[in-house]
Amino acid sequence: MVRVTRNYRFSASHRLHLANLSEEDNQRLFGKCANPHGHGHNYLLSVTVEGPIDSRTGLAVNTFELDGLVREHVIGKIDHTYLNRDVAGLNGIPATTENIASFVQSQLQAAWPGTFPALAHIRVQETKRNVIELAVIQREV
Amino acid sequence: MVRVTRNYRFSASHRLHLANLSEEDNQRLFGKCANPHGHGHNYLLSVTVEGPIDSRTGLAVNTFELDGLVREHVIGKIDHTYLNRDVAGLNGIPATTENIASFVQSQLQAAWPGTFPALAHIRVQETKRNVIELAVIQREV
Amino acid sequence: MVRVTRNYRFSASHRLHLANLSEEDNQRLFGKCANPHGHGHNYLLSVTVEGPIDSRTGLAVNTFELDGLVREHVIGKIDHTYLNRDVAGLNGIPATTENIASFVQSQLQAAWPGTFPALAHIRVQETKRNVIELAVIQREV
Amino acid sequence: MVRVTRNYRFSASHRLHLANLSEEDNQRLFGKCANPHGHGHNYLLSVTVEGPIDSRTGLAVNTFELDGLVREHVIGKIDHTYLNRDVAGLNGIPATTENIASFVQSQLQAAWPGTFPALAHIRVQETKRNVIELAVIQREV
Amino acid sequence: MVRVTRNYRFSASHRLHLANLSEEDNQRLFGKCANPHGHGHNYLLSVTVEGPIDSRTGLAVNTFELDGLVREHVIGKIDHTYLNRDVAGLNGIPATTENIASFVQSQLQAAWPGTFPALAHIRVQETKRNVIELAVIQREV
Amino acid sequence: MVRVTRNYRFSASHRLHLANLSEEDNQRLFGKCANPHGHGHNYLLSVTVEGPIDSRTGLAVNTFELDGLVREHVIGKIDHTYLNRDVAGLNGIPATTENIASFVQSQLQAAWPGTFPALAHIRVQETKRNVIELAVIQREV
């Protein structure tokens, strides 16, 4: 069993702000991320699958197919967007890195082909200082 | 004569779009950067000064003072903002990396102390693929 | 459950040398790190916490509070120091990356607030070639 | 218990191509990696060992000995080679990153000294976008 | 006047070896790069253009057009190749980083559109330790 | 004419402190770098030479010879040292990055072989935030 990780980049903007909190509480929770017109990041997304090496091809996953899946269901929906407004799955919830990682997980699990090795791990890096990781419960085989 | 470069990071969002162009022309010029609600980046700003080494201190510039200047006149004005709306110096012009570099230059030249070595070079990296550099005409001494 | 990792940098010097060993044995164990007057590194410290996403805020941890804790109890005590002499918790033991990671763990566990998600993992990178990681036994809940 | 990771670089070329497949199927599986005369990469190999910290030396492993082992049994055999032709352990199987990681594992397990802490993890990065990891079943102690 | 640099990656293999030299002299000149079946690298190519900022668009160059040019005339000809055999412009001369940079310069100068700002600089990074740069004599305007 | 840059790493410690200044003035000039027992960094040194490409070998410089020169006259003298005490050329002057770059320049110019292309540029990176560069006046040919 090996793990294969593919890295993808996307650029997006967001604002972290809860309408039912005072400005002071928004600042305490989100700091400058609560600024009124949003701001943005170059995000780095890492998707990890886990499975056996196919003894004929020497591959654990066809990375072209994996890339196509991630581009269609994740990158194509969030790259060069204002996450708060443009991404349906983040509507009404704060566009934190934690919620972005959960969104990626839902998108991939819903679209995951039965022929693929298990989706194992998702990682979203917002800046060099801030990283979120999420271990995906593996499918029963 | 040596050059001292200090690196600073800021996160901001922008939208590249000209109101008097068709959507097709905006796409041709700016691609996904013309998307309606903007998007963002982690920018890396490098500021370079040039001068002799002070033989007593071994320094060409007091980097604490330089950092204070850059934070007050540049980073404090653009970090965690929507450049199109929040930054006066970018009002009415496209928030391209080229114009951001020019804005940094104007801000620094206007505030540059007579006691500092010459401002020599400004570099703004928008993503790992895209970098703008600007050689600053040095002050007469 | 997600993991949130925050990265911190500090610069410090150390010397690896055991007084009760011959110079030859010190060289065999520590190489150039046994040089008489020490040397230094830019260390990268990664602290990982693990917990559920708060459905209201979209956060697994308040990173401002986490940063404050790490700065007060770790970075403020080791940044810009000579680890062998300036850091009480490393007195009398070799200032190896392994022991630095253990020191970080003790400092954080002693100060860890009950309101925080579990401390899960500590990583100390000394150079691009050398990394120490330490999985923290999670608190009983 | 801590984990110590050491990073090593090597440069090599390879070609991914199965003789019993059509060109079309080779392209579908391997893309440009099936090009007739091969191509190459700067690989980054990470080897992780796991064990207790020796209370006297503050070390979990003698990294000079570990480096010597990895250089002799892995880097010295694959650095600056054409993997398909020059590396006996990759003869007759595709030189995918998955198979390179397996090769590293076999080489290290066969040569692993009884005095070393357990070999825990192997990671091979082919490009910034593509990473393979392999958890090594730990030896019975 | 600003400089715009775009970065591109390609993976290729090469062998450095002069047929009319002894093996000893080849080793002295090229070291392991003279190994019989070649080896490879992930190269990083940086192309820099220099010109004024268009006051209407805020751009110094249309990067989509620049990327198209570099992909067609450079990356498309060298990515995933064995440089010694697959690249006409490197036939009969050693595929050193110096000669790769010269090849990039010839390709770009031959195809450079009159409507583009001047080609100013080419940089080829072979590994983290080895970089070649080439200032391009600017076109008369 | 091309420029060839080789990168080297070294780890060292230093203290920035002038005996004839008050503690307050030392803090104002050097901040935490004035701490009493010093601290350290992983430095990155870049040495750039400039010359024509040899049409037979395709090389502008024999990098093995250049590396040997830099290792003997620079890296071997400063790696794993306390710069203030262990390096003769930095005795009695502050071990700032500026003075380290000057020291590298003197060492290389004194040892530079007549058969080498011109020494063109020296760059010393102390941390990701702080870089010193020094253009070397080229030798008359």
Side-chain angles (χ1 to χ4, degrees), chain A residues 11-13 32 35 37-38 40-42 79-82 85-86 126, chain B residues 11-12 32 35 37-38 40-42 79-82 85-86 126:
Chain A
S11 294
S13 57
K32 289 180 294 185
N35 282 358
H37 305 119
H41 301 287
N42 301 322
D79 187 29
H80 281 69
T81 66
Y82 181 30
R85 291 186 55 170
D86 295 330
E126 192 189 70
Chain B
S11 294
K32 287 180 294 185
N35 282 357
H37 305 119
H41 301 288
N42 302 321
D79 187 29
H80 280 71
T81 66
Y82 180 31
R85 292 187 55 170
D86 295 329
E126 192 189 72

PDB file of all heavy atoms in Angstrom, chain A residues 11-13 32 35 37-38 40-42 79-82 85-86 126, chain B residues 11-12 32 35 37-38 40-42 79-82 85-86 126:
ATOM      1  N   SER A  11      -6.143  30.441  -6.550  1.00  0.00           N
ATOM      2  CA  SER A  11      -6.132  31.774  -5.952  1.00  0.00           C
ATOM      3  C   SER A  11      -7.566  32.193  -5.725  1.00  0.00           C
ATOM      4  O   SER A  11      -8.392  32.086  -6.639  1.00  0.00           O
ATOM      5  CB  SER A  11      -5.434  32.765  -6.892  1.00  0.00           C
ATOM      6  OG  SER A  11      -4.071  32.423  -7.004  1.00  0.00           O
ATOM      7  N   ALA A  12      -7.870  32.676  -4.538  1.00  0.00           N
ATOM      8  CA  ALA A  12      -9.250  33.055  -4.228  1.00  0.00           C
ATOM      9  C   ALA A  12      -9.247  34.126  -3.152  1.00  0.00           C
ATOM     10  O   ALA A  12      -8.242  34.355  -2.490  1.00  0.00           O
ATOM     11  CB  ALA A  12     -10.044  31.832  -3.765  1.00  0.00           C
ATOM     12  N   SER A  13     -10.388  34.785  -2.997  1.00  0.00           N
ATOM     13  CA  SER A  13     -10.514  35.758  -1.917  1.00  0.00           C
ATOM     14  C   SER A  13     -11.640  35.319  -0.987  1.00  0.00           C
ATOM     15  O   SER A  13     -12.492  34.504  -1.348  1.00  0.00           O
ATOM     16  CB  SER A  13     -10.771  37.162  -2.472  1.00  0.00           C
ATOM     17  OG  SER A  13     -11.920  37.185  -3.283  1.00  0.00           O
ATOM     18  N   LYS A  32      -7.624  40.637  11.094  1.00  0.00           N
ATOM     19  CA  LYS A  32      -7.720  41.382   9.839  1.00  0.00           C
ATOM     20  C   LYS A  32      -8.545  40.650   8.781  1.00  0.00           C
ATOM     21  O   LYS A  32      -8.960  41.244   7.790  1.00  0.00           O
ATOM     22  CB  LYS A  32      -6.313  41.633   9.276  1.00  0.00           C
ATOM     23  CG  LYS A  32      -5.493  42.632  10.034  1.00  0.00           C
ATOM     24  CD  LYS A  32      -4.111  42.810   9.407  1.00  0.00           C
ATOM     25  CE  LYS A  32      -3.268  41.549   9.523  1.00  0.00           C
ATOM     26  NZ  LYS A  32      -1.891  41.720   9.044  1.00  0.00           N
ATOM     27  N   ASN A  35     -11.808  42.240   7.760  1.00  0.00           N
ATOM     28  CA  ASN A  35     -11.855  43.529   7.041  1.00  0.00           C
ATOM     29  C   ASN A  35     -13.009  43.537   6.038  1.00  0.00           C
ATOM     30  O   ASN A  35     -13.303  42.507   5.415  1.00  0.00           O
ATOM     31  CB  ASN A  35     -10.523  43.784   6.324  1.00  0.00           C
ATOM     32  CG  ASN A  35      -9.452  44.263   7.291  1.00  0.00           C
ATOM     33  OD1 ASN A  35      -9.726  44.440   8.488  1.00  0.00           O
ATOM     34  ND2 ASN A  35      -8.238  44.464   6.805  1.00  0.00           N
ATOM     35  N   HIS A  37     -13.984  44.414   2.941  1.00  0.00           N
ATOM     36  CA  HIS A  37     -14.117  44.026   1.531  1.00  0.00           C
ATOM     37  C   HIS A  37     -13.346  42.756   1.171  1.00  0.00           C
ATOM     38  O   HIS A  37     -13.146  42.472  -0.009  1.00  0.00           O
ATOM     39  CB  HIS A  37     -13.679  45.188   0.630  1.00  0.00           C
ATOM     40  CG  HIS A  37     -14.408  46.457   0.926  1.00  0.00           C
ATOM     41  ND1 HIS A  37     -13.789  47.608   1.338  1.00  0.00           N
ATOM     42  CD2 HIS A  37     -15.746  46.741   0.931  1.00  0.00           C
ATOM     43  CE1 HIS A  37     -14.690  48.552   1.554  1.00  0.00           C
ATOM     44  NE2 HIS A  37     -15.888  48.050   1.323  1.00  0.00           N
ATOM     45  N   GLY A  38     -12.916  42.016   2.179  1.00  0.00           N
ATOM     46  CA  GLY A  38     -12.225  40.766   1.896  1.00  0.00           C
ATOM     47  C   GLY A  38     -10.776  40.976   1.480  1.00  0.00           C
ATOM     48  O   GLY A  38     -10.277  42.100   1.417  1.00  0.00           O
ATOM     49  N   GLY A  40      -7.255  38.074  -0.110  1.00  0.00           N
ATOM     50  CA  GLY A  40      -7.131  36.780  -0.782  1.00  0.00           C
ATOM     51  C   GLY A  40      -5.835  36.054  -0.525  1.00  0.00           C
ATOM     52  O   GLY A  40      -4.947  36.544   0.181  1.00  0.00           O
ATOM     53  N   HIS A  41      -5.742  34.877  -1.088  1.00  0.00           N
ATOM     54  CA  HIS A  41      -4.581  34.018  -0.881  1.00  0.00           C
ATOM     55  C   HIS A  41      -4.297  33.186  -2.125  1.00  0.00           C
ATOM     56  O   HIS A  41      -5.188  32.944  -2.932  1.00  0.00           O
ATOM     57  CB  HIS A  41      -4.821  33.048   0.288  1.00  0.00           C
ATOM     58  CG  HIS A  41      -5.107  33.716   1.589  1.00  0.00           C
ATOM     59  ND1 HIS A  41      -4.150  34.368   2.321  1.00  0.00           N
ATOM     60  CD2 HIS A  41      -6.256  33.862   2.301  1.00  0.00           C
ATOM     61  CE1 HIS A  41      -4.682  34.865   3.429  1.00  0.00           C
ATOM     62  NE2 HIS A  41      -5.958  34.586   3.439  1.00  0.00           N
ATOM     63  N   ASN A  42      -3.031  32.727  -2.241  1.00  0.00           N
ATOM     64  CA  ASN A  42      -2.700  31.622  -3.133  1.00  0.00           C
ATOM     65  C   ASN A  42      -2.761  30.352  -2.292  1.00  0.00           C
ATOM     66  O   ASN A  42      -1.894  30.139  -1.450  1.00  0.00           O
ATOM     67  CB  ASN A  42      -1.280  31.783  -3.698  1.00  0.00           C
ATOM     68  CG  ASN A  42      -1.089  33.073  -4.463  1.00  0.00           C
ATOM     69  OD1 ASN A  42      -1.972  33.524  -5.178  1.00  0.00           O
ATOM     70  ND2 ASN A  42       0.087  33.683  -4.308  1.00  0.00           N
ATOM     71  N   ASP A  79     -11.225  28.277  -8.067  1.00  0.00           N
ATOM     72  CA  ASP A  79     -10.079  29.081  -8.506  1.00  0.00           C
ATOM     73  C   ASP A  79     -10.559  30.428  -9.062  1.00  0.00           C
ATOM     74  O   ASP A  79     -11.521  30.490  -9.823  1.00  0.00           O
ATOM     75  CB  ASP A  79      -9.297  28.325  -9.593  1.00  0.00           C
ATOM     76  CG  ASP A  79      -8.010  29.055  -9.960  1.00  0.00           C
ATOM     77  OD1 ASP A  79      -7.448  29.759  -9.096  1.00  0.00           O
ATOM     78  OD2 ASP A  79      -7.574  28.920 -11.114  1.00  0.00           O
ATOM     79  N   HIS A  80      -9.845  31.485  -8.691  1.00  0.00           N
ATOM     80  CA  HIS A  80     -10.175  32.832  -9.148  1.00  0.00           C
ATOM     81  C   HIS A  80     -11.627  33.193  -8.830  1.00  0.00           C
ATOM     82  O   HIS A  80     -12.364  33.722  -9.670  1.00  0.00           O
ATOM     83  CB  HIS A  80      -9.861  33.006 -10.645  1.00  0.00           C
ATOM     84  CG  HIS A  80      -8.400  33.239 -10.887  1.00  0.00           C
ATOM     85  ND1 HIS A  80      -7.455  32.258 -10.697  1.00  0.00           N
ATOM     86  CD2 HIS A  80      -7.704  34.359 -11.256  1.00  0.00           C
ATOM     87  CE1 HIS A  80      -6.255  32.750 -10.973  1.00  0.00           C
ATOM     88  NE2 HIS A  80      -6.359  34.010 -11.294  1.00  0.00           N
ATOM     89  N   THR A  81     -12.047  32.891  -7.593  1.00  0.00           N
ATOM     90  CA  THR A  81     -13.389  33.279  -7.135  1.00  0.00           C
ATOM     91  C   THR A  81     -13.278  34.061  -5.828  1.00  0.00           C
ATOM     92  O   THR A  81     -12.230  34.081  -5.176  1.00  0.00           O
ATOM     93  CB  THR A  81     -14.277  32.047  -6.830  1.00  0.00           C
ATOM     94  OG1 THR A  81     -13.719  31.353  -5.701  1.00  0.00           O
ATOM     95  CG2 THR A  81     -14.367  31.106  -8.014  1.00  0.00           C
ATOM     96  N   TYR A  82     -14.406  34.687  -5.471  1.00  0.00           N
ATOM     97  CA  TYR A  82     -14.607  35.226  -4.126  1.00  0.00           C
ATOM     98  C   TYR A  82     -15.404  34.140  -3.403  1.00  0.00           C
ATOM     99  O   TYR A  82     -16.601  33.965  -3.655  1.00  0.00           O
ATOM    100  CB  TYR A  82     -15.386  36.544  -4.210  1.00  0.00           C
ATOM    101  CG  TYR A  82     -15.647  37.211  -2.878  1.00  0.00           C
ATOM    102  CD1 TYR A  82     -14.790  37.075  -1.798  1.00  0.00           C
ATOM    103  CD2 TYR A  82     -16.784  38.024  -2.710  1.00  0.00           C
ATOM    104  CE1 TYR A  82     -15.034  37.708  -0.589  1.00  0.00           C
ATOM    105  CE2 TYR A  82     -17.031  38.667  -1.503  1.00  0.00           C
ATOM    106  CZ  TYR A  82     -16.158  38.499  -0.441  1.00  0.00           C
ATOM    107  OH  TYR A  82     -16.405  39.122   0.766  1.00  0.00           O
ATOM    108  N   ARG A  85     -19.070  34.406  -2.088  1.00  0.00           N
ATOM    109  CA  ARG A  85     -20.201  34.650  -2.984  1.00  0.00           C
ATOM    110  C   ARG A  85     -20.303  33.652  -4.120  1.00  0.00           C
ATOM    111  O   ARG A  85     -21.397  33.359  -4.599  1.00  0.00           O
ATOM    112  CB  ARG A  85     -20.068  36.044  -3.612  1.00  0.00           C
ATOM    113  CG  ARG A  85     -20.269  37.150  -2.588  1.00  0.00           C
ATOM    114  CD  ARG A  85     -20.291  38.509  -3.251  1.00  0.00           C
ATOM    115  NE  ARG A  85     -21.291  38.621  -4.311  1.00  0.00           N
ATOM    116  CZ  ARG A  85     -21.617  39.765  -4.889  1.00  0.00           C
ATOM    117  NH1 ARG A  85     -21.036  40.886  -4.504  1.00  0.00           N
ATOM    118  NH2 ARG A  85     -22.513  39.800  -5.852  1.00  0.00           N
ATOM    119  N   ASP A  86     -19.149  33.145  -4.578  1.00  0.00           N
ATOM    120  CA  ASP A  86     -19.162  32.380  -5.823  1.00  0.00           C
ATOM    121  C   ASP A  86     -19.275  30.867  -5.626  1.00  0.00           C
ATOM    122  O   ASP A  86     -19.510  30.149  -6.601  1.00  0.00           O
ATOM    123  CB  ASP A  86     -17.872  32.668  -6.618  1.00  0.00           C
ATOM    124  CG  ASP A  86     -17.773  34.116  -7.087  1.00  0.00           C
ATOM    125  OD1 ASP A  86     -18.821  34.740  -7.329  1.00  0.00           O
ATOM    126  OD2 ASP A  86     -16.644  34.627  -7.208  1.00  0.00           O
ATOM    127  N   GLU A 126      -3.087  27.813   3.416  1.00  0.00           N
ATOM    128  CA  GLU A 126      -3.584  29.157   3.091  1.00  0.00           C
ATOM    129  C   GLU A 126      -2.424  30.131   2.928  1.00  0.00           C
ATOM    130  O   GLU A 126      -2.385  30.949   2.014  1.00  0.00           O
ATOM    131  CB  GLU A 126      -4.488  29.620   4.225  1.00  0.00           C
ATOM    132  CG  GLU A 126      -5.305  30.838   3.924  1.00  0.00           C
ATOM    133  CD  GLU A 126      -5.998  31.364   5.171  1.00  0.00           C
ATOM    134  OE1 GLU A 126      -5.309  31.901   6.080  1.00  0.00           O
ATOM    135  OE2 GLU A 126      -7.221  31.232   5.249  1.00  0.00           O
TER     136      GLU A 126
ATOM    137  N   SER B  11      -1.398  39.769   2.012  1.00  0.00           N
ATOM    138  CA  SER B  11      -2.476  39.043   1.337  1.00  0.00           C
ATOM    139  C   SER B  11      -3.535  40.054   0.939  1.00  0.00           C
ATOM    140  O   SER B  11      -3.949  40.866   1.767  1.00  0.00           O
ATOM    141  CB  SER B  11      -3.079  37.993   2.278  1.00  0.00           C
ATOM    142  OG  SER B  11      -2.122  36.989   2.554  1.00  0.00           O
ATOM    143  N   ALA B  12      -3.963  39.994  -0.304  1.00  0.00           N
ATOM    144  CA  ALA B  12      -4.939  40.964  -0.780  1.00  0.00           C
ATOM    145  C   ALA B  12      -5.750  40.352  -1.911  1.00  0.00           C
ATOM    146  O   ALA B  12      -5.385  39.312  -2.463  1.00  0.00           O
ATOM    147  CB  ALA B  12      -4.237  42.233  -1.268  1.00  0.00           C
ATOM    148  N   LYS B  32      -9.027  34.758 -16.286  1.00  0.00           N
ATOM    149  CA  LYS B  32      -9.852  34.540 -15.089  1.00  0.00           C
ATOM    150  C   LYS B  32      -9.744  35.688 -14.088  1.00  0.00           C
ATOM    151  O   LYS B  32     -10.567  35.809 -13.183  1.00  0.00           O
ATOM    152  CB  LYS B  32      -9.400  33.247 -14.392  1.00  0.00           C
ATOM    153  CG  LYS B  32      -9.788  31.984 -15.112  1.00  0.00           C
ATOM    154  CD  LYS B  32      -9.311  30.745 -14.370  1.00  0.00           C
ATOM    155  CE  LYS B  32      -7.798  30.670 -14.343  1.00  0.00           C
ATOM    156  NZ  LYS B  32      -7.287  29.416 -13.720  1.00  0.00           N
ATOM    157  N   ASN B  35     -12.825  37.766 -13.536  1.00  0.00           N
ATOM    158  CA  ASN B  35     -14.038  37.194 -12.907  1.00  0.00           C
ATOM    159  C   ASN B  35     -14.732  38.231 -12.028  1.00  0.00           C
ATOM    160  O   ASN B  35     -14.069  39.038 -11.374  1.00  0.00           O
ATOM    161  CB  ASN B  35     -13.671  35.960 -12.071  1.00  0.00           C
ATOM    162  CG  ASN B  35     -13.441  34.727 -12.947  1.00  0.00           C
ATOM    163  OD1 ASN B  35     -13.607  34.800 -14.165  1.00  0.00           O
ATOM    164  ND2 ASN B  35     -13.042  33.629 -12.340  1.00  0.00           N
ATOM    165  N   HIS B  37     -16.319  38.824  -9.126  1.00  0.00           N
ATOM    166  CA  HIS B  37     -16.211  39.221  -7.714  1.00  0.00           C
ATOM    167  C   HIS B  37     -14.774  39.228  -7.194  1.00  0.00           C
ATOM    168  O   HIS B  37     -14.555  39.275  -5.981  1.00  0.00           O
ATOM    169  CB  HIS B  37     -17.085  38.305  -6.849  1.00  0.00           C
ATOM    170  CG  HIS B  37     -18.506  38.281  -7.300  1.00  0.00           C
ATOM    171  ND1 HIS B  37     -19.142  37.145  -7.720  1.00  0.00           N
ATOM    172  CD2 HIS B  37     -19.413  39.288  -7.454  1.00  0.00           C
ATOM    173  CE1 HIS B  37     -20.378  37.428  -8.085  1.00  0.00           C
ATOM    174  NE2 HIS B  37     -20.572  38.713  -7.937  1.00  0.00           N
ATOM    175  N   GLY B  38     -13.796  39.156  -8.109  1.00  0.00           N
ATOM    176  CA  GLY B  38     -12.403  39.226  -7.676  1.00  0.00           C
ATOM    177  C   GLY B  38     -11.901  37.909  -7.112  1.00  0.00           C
ATOM    178  O   GLY B  38     -12.626  36.901  -7.065  1.00  0.00           O
ATOM    179  N   GLY B  40      -7.831  36.455  -4.975  1.00  0.00           N
ATOM    180  CA  GLY B  40      -6.731  37.038  -4.207  1.00  0.00           C
ATOM    181  C   GLY B  40      -5.430  36.276  -4.285  1.00  0.00           C
ATOM    182  O   GLY B  40      -5.336  35.216  -4.921  1.00  0.00           O
ATOM    183  N   HIS B  41      -4.433  36.820  -3.648  1.00  0.00           N
ATOM    184  CA  HIS B  41      -3.088  36.244  -3.672  1.00  0.00           C
ATOM    185  C   HIS B  41      -2.363  36.497  -2.349  1.00  0.00           C
ATOM    186  O   HIS B  41      -2.699  37.420  -1.619  1.00  0.00           O
ATOM    187  CB  HIS B  41      -2.256  36.883  -4.801  1.00  0.00           C
ATOM    188  CG  HIS B  41      -2.831  36.715  -6.167  1.00  0.00           C
ATOM    189  ND1 HIS B  41      -2.837  35.506  -6.818  1.00  0.00           N
ATOM    190  CD2 HIS B  41      -3.444  37.581  -7.005  1.00  0.00           C
ATOM    191  CE1 HIS B  41      -3.411  35.648  -8.006  1.00  0.00           C
ATOM    192  NE2 HIS B  41      -3.794  36.899  -8.137  1.00  0.00           N
ATOM    193  N   ASN B  42      -1.357  35.665  -2.078  1.00  0.00           N
ATOM    194  CA  ASN B  42      -0.334  35.990  -1.091  1.00  0.00           C
ATOM    195  C   ASN B  42       0.818  36.627  -1.857  1.00  0.00           C
ATOM    196  O   ASN B  42       1.531  35.934  -2.578  1.00  0.00           O
ATOM    197  CB  ASN B  42       0.176  34.727  -0.381  1.00  0.00           C
ATOM    198  CG  ASN B  42      -0.922  33.948   0.316  1.00  0.00           C
ATOM    199  OD1 ASN B  42      -1.822  34.530   0.903  1.00  0.00           O
ATOM    200  ND2 ASN B  42      -0.850  32.616   0.245  1.00  0.00           N
ATOM    201  N   ASP B  79      -2.247  45.325   3.088  1.00  0.00           N
ATOM    202  CA  ASP B  79      -2.407  43.963   3.601  1.00  0.00           C
ATOM    203  C   ASP B  79      -3.857  43.725   4.026  1.00  0.00           C
ATOM    204  O   ASP B  79      -4.474  44.563   4.679  1.00  0.00           O
ATOM    205  CB  ASP B  79      -1.482  43.753   4.802  1.00  0.00           C
ATOM    206  CG  ASP B  79      -1.501  42.296   5.262  1.00  0.00           C
ATOM    207  OD1 ASP B  79      -1.728  41.409   4.416  1.00  0.00           O
ATOM    208  OD2 ASP B  79      -1.298  42.047   6.463  1.00  0.00           O
ATOM    209  N   HIS B  80      -4.388  42.551   3.664  1.00  0.00           N
ATOM    210  CA  HIS B  80      -5.760  42.181   4.006  1.00  0.00           C
ATOM    211  C   HIS B  80      -6.758  43.230   3.514  1.00  0.00           C
ATOM    212  O   HIS B  80      -7.666  43.644   4.231  1.00  0.00           O
ATOM    213  CB  HIS B  80      -5.896  41.924   5.512  1.00  0.00           C
ATOM    214  CG  HIS B  80      -5.403  40.554   5.895  1.00  0.00           C
ATOM    215  ND1 HIS B  80      -4.067  40.243   5.884  1.00  0.00           N
ATOM    216  CD2 HIS B  80      -6.046  39.420   6.272  1.00  0.00           C
ATOM    217  CE1 HIS B  80      -3.914  38.977   6.248  1.00  0.00           C
ATOM    218  NE2 HIS B  80      -5.087  38.456   6.477  1.00  0.00           N
ATOM    219  N   THR B  81      -6.573  43.661   2.251  1.00  0.00           N
ATOM    220  CA  THR B  81      -7.527  44.590   1.622  1.00  0.00           C
ATOM    221  C   THR B  81      -8.003  44.015   0.292  1.00  0.00           C
ATOM    222  O   THR B  81      -7.427  43.057  -0.241  1.00  0.00           O
ATOM    223  CB  THR B  81      -6.880  45.959   1.303  1.00  0.00           C
ATOM    224  OG1 THR B  81      -5.873  45.758   0.285  1.00  0.00           O
ATOM    225  CG2 THR B  81      -6.237  46.582   2.536  1.00  0.00           C
ATOM    226  N   TYR B  82      -9.071  44.651  -0.220  1.00  0.00           N
ATOM    227  CA  TYR B  82      -9.492  44.462  -1.608  1.00  0.00           C
ATOM    228  C   TYR B  82      -8.892  45.658  -2.345  1.00  0.00           C
ATOM    229  O   TYR B  82      -9.373  46.786  -2.216  1.00  0.00           O
ATOM    230  CB  TYR B  82     -11.022  44.458  -1.691  1.00  0.00           C
ATOM    231  CG  TYR B  82     -11.583  44.271  -3.080  1.00  0.00           C
ATOM    232  CD1 TYR B  82     -10.914  43.519  -4.048  1.00  0.00           C
ATOM    233  CD2 TYR B  82     -12.817  44.822  -3.432  1.00  0.00           C
ATOM    234  CE1 TYR B  82     -11.440  43.342  -5.308  1.00  0.00           C
ATOM    235  CE2 TYR B  82     -13.360  44.642  -4.701  1.00  0.00           C
ATOM    236  CZ  TYR B  82     -12.664  43.904  -5.641  1.00  0.00           C
ATOM    237  OH  TYR B  82     -13.189  43.718  -6.906  1.00  0.00           O
ATOM    238  N   ARG B  85     -10.788  48.563  -4.066  1.00  0.00           N
ATOM    239  CA  ARG B  85     -11.659  49.473  -3.313  1.00  0.00           C
ATOM    240  C   ARG B  85     -10.962  50.142  -2.138  1.00  0.00           C
ATOM    241  O   ARG B  85     -11.320  51.256  -1.752  1.00  0.00           O
ATOM    242  CB  ARG B  85     -12.862  48.694  -2.762  1.00  0.00           C
ATOM    243  CG  ARG B  85     -13.800  48.230  -3.857  1.00  0.00           C
ATOM    244  CD  ARG B  85     -15.053  47.623  -3.302  1.00  0.00           C
ATOM    245  NE  ARG B  85     -15.768  48.495  -2.366  1.00  0.00           N
ATOM    246  CZ  ARG B  85     -16.971  48.239  -1.908  1.00  0.00           C
ATOM    247  NH1 ARG B  85     -17.605  47.151  -2.303  1.00  0.00           N
ATOM    248  NH2 ARG B  85     -17.565  49.055  -1.051  1.00  0.00           N
ATOM    249  N   ASP B  86      -9.998  49.449  -1.527  1.00  0.00           N
ATOM    250  CA  ASP B  86      -9.483  49.921  -0.244  1.00  0.00           C
ATOM    251  C   ASP B  86      -8.220  50.775  -0.359  1.00  0.00           C
ATOM    252  O   ASP B  86      -7.824  51.399   0.624  1.00  0.00           O
ATOM    253  CB  ASP B  86      -9.168  48.721   0.669  1.00  0.00           C
ATOM    254  CG  ASP B  86     -10.421  47.927   1.045  1.00  0.00           C
ATOM    255  OD1 ASP B  86     -11.501  48.532   1.134  1.00  0.00           O
ATOM    256  OD2 ASP B  86     -10.310  46.697   1.263  1.00  0.00           O
ATOM    257  N   GLU B 126       3.455  37.835  -7.392  1.00  0.00           N
ATOM    258  CA  GLU B 126       2.021  37.603  -7.204  1.00  0.00           C
ATOM    259  C   GLU B 126       1.742  36.118  -6.967  1.00  0.00           C
ATOM    260  O   GLU B 126       0.957  35.740  -6.114  1.00  0.00           O
ATOM    261  CB  GLU B 126       1.288  38.082  -8.459  1.00  0.00           C
ATOM    262  CG  GLU B 126      -0.207  38.174  -8.325  1.00  0.00           C
ATOM    263  CD  GLU B 126      -0.852  38.439  -9.672  1.00  0.00           C
ATOM    264  OE1 GLU B 126      -0.888  37.521 -10.523  1.00  0.00           O
ATOM    265  OE2 GLU B 126      -1.323  39.558  -9.896  1.00  0.00           O
TER     266      GLU B 126
END
